[in-house]
Structures are given as structure tokens and as C-alpha cells.
Amino acid sequence: MKKYKIAVLPGDGIGPEVIAQAIKVLHSAADAFHFELELSEALIGAVAIDQTGNPLPEDTITKCRNADAVLLGAVGHPKYDNDPHAPVRPEQGLLKIRKTLGLFANIRPVSTYPILYDKSPIKTERIQGVDFVVFRELTGGIYFGKKGKSEDGKSAYDTSEYSVDEIDRIARLAFDAALKRRKKLCLVDKANVLETSRLWRATVDLIAREPKYAEIEYSSMFVDNAAMQLIQWPSQFDVILTENMFGDIITDEASVIPGSMGLLPSASVGSNVALFEPIHGSYPQAAGKNIANPMATILSVAMMLEHLNENEAAKSIRVAVDQALEQWYVTEDISKQFAKSTSEVGDWICAKIKELKASA
Ligand code: IPM
Ligand code: MG
């Protein structure tokens, strides 16, 4: 039997609750599809600061490096958010794990569910058939460039830097993904203003001309326009390729399209171990209340299993989540009227996976 080592980083806020459901689902999938799991839990974020003073302890890095995949809940705590003088922050743990594990591509799929059309703040006719994926560069740009403050504290700077190699490696992943999808790729940048964007454009233009990508309908769009088009006409997009900060912003924007942020998973990949996490944050107001939507984390497990080539198991998780939605077996972010708890939704999905397997 195949055995996968998974490092589990529950993190802060609702992280531990949604992770608990995702782990239950992972175990159900392992039972149904005959693979074994070796899980090791580790600290990240505010809980790690509280217990060790470090948002990403060495032990966590070791466990992640030794794993086949990493599953992460959420990072962030309000006590750090509004304190510009905090010496360490939970988010540093997240940025450091991305950098340390070389997770240069963050993959965030966005699709809509007919059952949720009414929940979306955008008109139904605009979101029907939306199905795109954002490839966000994750270890470069302004997040990781030189930054600092003047001695008198009256000015500060952050710099954005990209190399051709950094652009090339994620662009190829995005083009390869487009080949398996609707064969459209849109590069989002600010090439009318930024030198780094002009380097992105020149580099990606060249890749687009390679014969193996001849079938891809390639375009580019300035990020301000893209921000608008994402709301006005989101179904035009298939694969969006973009740099770190633009990707951060447009994926939050895109997350409102389906009607709940609690549904969107993500994968962060590099040349070694990959990491999977919901795109929502730690939602501190809901922590400990058993009300958070576990579906984004459960769908992150599906992405993880696809990455590990356990495609049937992944498929069964996706079908179970779809059915939970169709039958309104959902948390309160989706329906106040029918609201089930975080753990009830997790249990339902586990039972459905078993049932699907038994009837297959
Ligand atoms: C995300 C988050 C992080 C980011 C924060 C928490 C550092 O917003 O994963 O999108 O900006 O990358
Ligand atoms: Mg973000």
C-alpha cells in the first residue's frame, strides 16, 4: 500500500477546526481508496509565536521537508494586525515557509456553483460558467525585495525584483495547465508603468511563441483593467498568470465571485514538497465556535491528492462536496437557514465518500 507523509500545520483562528475536518476526510479517502497516511503536526503563526517565540520553528521546517505534502489551516491573529511595532508577526511564518520550501507557484482555482448563484454579490448572468485558475508567483517581487526605513523614520521603501528564471518557471506551469484546460492564458501585469512587468511581458511573450504552446490563445492585461474585468466579465478567463502582489489582490477579489470565500482551495508548488491551504484567513471571530466552512480546506485535500496522483480519491472528495452543496448540507456562511456546524459538514462528507465508494 502506498503511504504518504503529510505535515499538518493547523495554525491560528479557525485553522485547527477546518483542519480537523480535512484530516477526517483524508482518513476516509485513505480507507476507501487504500492508501496509508503518516501525519505529523507542527506549529506555525501566532500559536507558534506564543509557544516558541518564532512564527516558523525549525521543527516545523524539518517536518515539512520530510513530508510528501503539507496541509495548512490559516495564519494570523488580531493582536498583531494593528500593531505596526510588533517585532514578530504570524504572517512571517507563512512567507518564510513559502520561501524555505521554494513554493514559487500558488495555484488558486475559482469556479461557481449554480446552487450559490444567489449568494454572489455579482449578477448571476455574469458568473454563470466561471471557471478559471490563477497562477500567482509566490516567492519573489515586492514581498521579498529589499525593504527598509530611513533613520529618522520619515520614509520607507519596498522594492520589487524579478529574474527571467523566476518568471519562466511559473509561466511554464501556467501554460502547461492551460493546455489541459480551455487553452487560454492571460498575463496580468502593469507593463505600462513597471520595469518588472516589462520583463514579465518579454519573457512570457517568448514562451507563448514556442511551438508546443501554439494552441494557446495568449493575451495580456493591465492589472487595473483586470480588476475590473474580473467583476464585469469573469467567464472570459481560463488561466491567469501574474506576479506575487497582483496575484494576492486579484485572488481575494476573485474569491467573492462564487459567493463564499469558504469554498476556495489553493496549492503552492515548487520543485520539492507542495503545500495546500484554503485561501481564506484565520477568521478569528469564528474561532472555537464550530461554524466555519471546512470546504475550502477539504477541497485543498482534493488538490493535494491530485498532486499525489490519487485521482480517484480526489474525485470522490469533489463529488461529496458538490453533493453537500446541492443538498444544502452547509455551514452558515452559505445558508443561515439550514446552517450545519463545521464538524457536521465534515462528517457528512466523510460518510458520502464511503457511500460513493460502496456503490461504485
Ligand atoms: C495570502 C495571504 C498572505 C499573502 C498573507 C497572510 C501574508 O493574504 O496567502 O494571500 O499576502 O500572501
Ligand atoms: Mg491574500
Side-chain angles (χ1 to χ4, degrees):
M1 231 194 283
K2 275 212 169 126
K3 182 169 187 172
Y4 303 105
K5 286 193 194 168
I6 313 291
V8 182
L9 281 44
D12 304 321
I14 58 167
E17 293 162 63
V18 292
I19 284 287
Q21 303 316 309
I23 296 298
K24 265 187 348 205
V25 168
L26 184 57
H27 280 298
S28 300
D31 287 346
F33 294 91
H34 309 295
F35 55 86
E36 282 183 276
L37 296 166
E38 190 183 315
L39 306 180
S40 57
E41 208 170 286
L43 295 169
I44 191 169
V47 284
I49 300 177
D50 292 347
Q51 291 183 35
T52 71
N54 180 351
L56 186 67
E58 223 23 70
D59 166 70
T60 303
I61 299 176
T62 310
K63 283 177 174 155
C64 292
R65 284 218 170 102
N66 290 332
D68 296 307
V70 181
L71 185 64
L72 186 143
V75 163
H77 192 285
K79 72 181 169 200
Y80 301 95
D81 287 350
N82 300 314
D83 176 8
H85 303 294
V88 283
R89 309 178 157 274
E91 289 78 7
Q92 287 165 344
L94 190 56
L95 297 179
K96 190 166 169 208
I97 191 100
R98 290 171 177 171
K99 196 70 172 176
T100 309
L101 298 179
L103 304 171
F104 61 81
N106 181 224
I107 304 167
R108 297 184 167 182
V110 177
S111 54
T112 52
Y113 297 83
I115 196 103
L116 297 180
Y117 284 164
D118 284 350
K119 298 287 303 174
S120 176
I122 305 173
K123 289 198 186 86
T124 299
E125 70 255 30
R126 294 184 193 247
I127 62 168
Q128 274 166 340
V130 165
D131 177 13
F132 62 83
V133 55
V134 180
F135 277 70
R136 166 190 174 193
E137 203 290 328
L138 203 58
T139 52
I142 199 164
Y143 273 61
F144 293 96
K146 279 194 213 81
K147 55 185 82 214
K149 252 191 330 211
S150 65
E151 258 170 45
D152 65 5
K154 290 205 179 349
S155 67
Y157 63 94
D158 297 277
T159 51
S160 176
E161 226 182 293
Y162 271 109
S163 67
V164 167
D165 288 345
E166 285 173 310
I167 300 165
D168 186 273
R169 61 188 181 180
I170 183 171
R172 287 179 191 283
L173 288 184
F175 274 93
D176 289 340
L179 281 179
K180 295 189 199 134
R181 296 176 46 99
R182 299 197 313 279
K183 302 191 171 52
K184 279 172 74 172
L185 184 143
C186 180
L187 170 65
V188 169
D189 63 25
K190 189 73 186 173
N192 49 347
V193 177
L194 301 177
E195 206 57 63
T196 43
S197 283
R198 288 191 276 272
L199 188 67
W200 272 80
R201 198 145 308 181
T203 308
V204 179
D205 282 358
L206 278 181
I207 298 173
R209 279 193 231 133
E210 291 180 11
K212 66 175 170 214
Y213 300 127
E215 283 176 275
I216 307 280
E217 186 190 317
Y218 164 62
S219 62
S220 49
M221 204 180 268
F222 297 141
V223 63
D224 46 351
N225 182 26
M228 186 180 74
Q229 303 265 345
L230 268 173
I231 301 301
Q232 277 198 317
W233 184 25
S235 61
Q236 70 182 288
F237 296 107
D238 180 20
V239 174
I240 295 176
L241 168 64
T242 193
E243 59 120 86
N244 201 346
M245 174 123 103
F246 297 157
D248 178 45
I249 297 168
I250 66 167
T251 53
D252 257 32
E253 186 192 11
S255 76
V256 307
I257 298 172
S260 171
M261 221 191 186
L263 289 173
L264 297 182
S266 82
S268 300
V269 307
S271 26
N272 299 304
V273 64
L275 179 149
F276 301 83
E277 60 175 317
I279 92 148
H280 60 69
S282 59
Y283 191 16
Q285 308 88 312
K289 296 187 179 156
N290 201 19
I291 56 172
N293 190 343
M295 287 177 172
T297 315
I298 291 171
L299 290 170
S300 300
V301 168
M303 289 186 89
M304 181 172 96
L305 291 174
E306 277 152 9
H307 182 81
L308 297 170
N309 251 319
E310 291 290 343
N311 294 311
E312 269 188 274
K315 177 87 197 152
S316 131
I317 293 176
R318 290 185 187 283
V319 172
V321 170
D322 279 350
Q323 295 198 3
L325 285 168
E326 275 161 29
Q327 296 177 32
W328 289 102
Y329 209 97
V330 293
T331 41
E332 63 165 44
D333 52 307
I334 294 180
S335 169
K336 286 254 185 298
Q337 192 189 347
F338 299 112
K340 297 286 184 291
S341 68
T342 308
S343 49
E344 282 171 323
V345 171
D347 288 338
W348 195 95
I349 291 170
C350 289
K352 185 52 80 177
I353 290 168
K354 234 189 217 164
E355 188 191 313
L356 287 166
K357 179 67 184 182
S359 63

